[in-house]
Amino acid sequence: MLGRVAKGVKCNVSGCGKEAKRSLSADKVRLAGLSVGSGEKRAYLCESHYKEFKKRTKKDRKIEQWRYKGV
Ligand SMILES: [Zn+2]
């Protein structure tokens, strides 16, 4: 199932290394501005980095909406 992470997997945001809670497409995570190891297809995020990812993607979506409205 998407998003589930096996026990013992570590968050692969550089400099973190906490226990991962979520797995996502590494591309999406990079687009959100979090640095995951290059060449990885999957990004594993701990609870706090997942929250940060969600926050950042929310912001991006809003900015996109503004852009569309502004044109
Ligand atoms: Zn983390």
Side-chain angles (χ1 to χ4, degrees):
M1 223 203 327
L2 189 75
R4 289 191 75 182
V5 175
K7 260 197 172 177
V9 176
K10 299 270 186 271
C11 175
N12 62 4
V13 174
S14 60
C16 182
K18 283 188 207 165
E19 196 189 334
K21 299 283 184 195
R22 301 282 179 156
S23 120
L24 293 147
S25 153
D27 288 340
K28 279 187 191 172
V29 174
R30 283 193 202 100
L31 282 173
L34 296 169
S35 61
V36 294
S38 56
E40 304 278 351
K41 290 232 163 105
R42 304 297 299 166
Y44 297 96
L45 300 183
C46 64
E47 197 70 53
S48 53
H49 276 122
Y50 182 64
K51 273 182 195 163
E52 197 174 332
F53 168 78
K54 278 206 296 191
K55 236 191 259 171
R56 290 183 187 214
T57 48
K58 225 186 242 175
K59 215 187 274 171
D60 287 349
R61 254 180 238 138
K62 255 185 205 165
I63 289 166
E64 259 171 44
Q65 280 168 6
W66 291 336
R67 273 191 202 138
Y68 288 134
K69 273 180 197 169
V71 171

